[in-house]
Amino acid sequence: MAHWLMKSEPEELSIKDFQRLGETRWDGVRNYQARNFMRAMAPDDTFFFYHSSCAQPGIVGIGRIVQAAYPDPSALDPGGAYFDAKSSEQKNRWSAVNVSFVEAFPQVLKISFLKQQSSLEKLPLVQKGTRLSVMPVTAEQWQAILALR
DNA sequence: GCCAACGTTGGC
DNA sequence: GCCAACGTTGGC
C-alpha cells in the first residue's frame, strides 16, 4: 500500500467539505507529473489532504483511494473550469480517482512547521521550487507526519 | 499583491 | 528541437 499527498484549495474543496461528502471524485488535475502519480494509485492507498493558497496552508487530514484512475470527465465539460479542448471521449489526457474521507486532524500541520522537520527534508512539498499538487510520501515520511498530529 | 519558480505554448 | 514569452502556482 502506497502513500500520497494531495493539495486542494479549501475554497474549492476543504477537509470539512470532504468530511461531509464522505466520498468524492478527485478531478481537475492538469499537470502531467501529478497525473502520472494519480495513475499509480491503487484502492486502499492513503493520502494526506493539504490545504493550499489559504490563510493557514498545511496538512489537515487523511483520505483513502477507493477507485483507481479513470478518464477525467471534467476535461470534457465545455462549461466547466477544467475543460480541455485537446481531450475527447476517445482520447482524454487527464485522469481522476475516487477518494473517501478518513480523518480530520485536530489542528493544521502548517507548512512552516513541516519545513522544520528534518525527517521531511526529502518530501517534495517542502522543497524549494516544487509545486506538485500530487506527490508520493514514503512510509517513513508518513509515520513522521502522523506523529506530528 | 508580490514574486520566484516552474510548466506550457508557439514561432522559427 | 530551441527558447522566449506567457501563464500558473503558492507561500509570504
Side-chain angles (χ1 to χ4, degrees):
Chain A
M1 189 186 69
H3 302 297
W4 309 93
L5 182 146
M6 302 180 87
K7 294 181 184 174
S8 178
E9 299 188 9
E11 288 186 12
E12 187 85 7
L13 180 79
S14 72
I15 189 72
K16 286 274 166 63
D17 297 332
F18 189 27
Q19 184 164 25
R20 181 169 40 77
L21 291 168
E23 183 172 334
T24 190
R25 165 184 291 149
W26 200 287
D27 61 9
V29 171
R30 294 292 177 268
N31 169 280
Y32 286 109
Q33 206 181 347
R35 180 206 69 181
N36 292 342
F37 285 132
M38 288 175 80
R39 289 181 176 180
M41 292 174 175
D44 284 341
D45 283 1
T46 49
F47 66 94
F48 287 122
F49 191 108
Y50 181 89
H51 277 174
S52 66
S53 299
C54 59
Q56 282 212 323
I59 297 175
V60 292
I62 297 175
R64 185 185 312 280
I65 307 302
V66 296
Q67 187 178 332
Y70 55 93
D72 181 353
S74 72
L76 307 179
D77 172 13
Y82 301 115
F83 178 66
D84 172 29
K86 291 183 179 168
S87 284
S88 64
E89 199 82 54
Q90 294 73 27
K91 220 176 170 195
N92 190 334
R93 298 195 286 176
W94 305 112
S95 295
V97 294
N98 287 357
V99 296
S100 66
F101 174 83
V102 173
E103 174 182 340
F105 291 169
Q107 74 273 320
V108 182
L109 300 181
K110 291 195 273 180
I111 186 66
S112 57
F113 176 63
L114 297 172
K115 282 179 175 173
Q116 295 169 15
Q117 309 300 318
S118 55
S119 56
L120 301 178
E121 270 172 9
K122 301 235 171 97
L123 183 66
L125 180 73
V126 303
Q127 287 174 346
K128 187 176 155 83
T130 307
R131 10 171 257 201
L132 262 183
S133 60
V134 178
M135 70 189 74
V137 173
T138 68
E140 292 75 19
Q141 290 162 348
W142 183 266
Q143 290 304 324
I145 292 167
L146 285 185
L148 297 172
R149 282 177 296 177

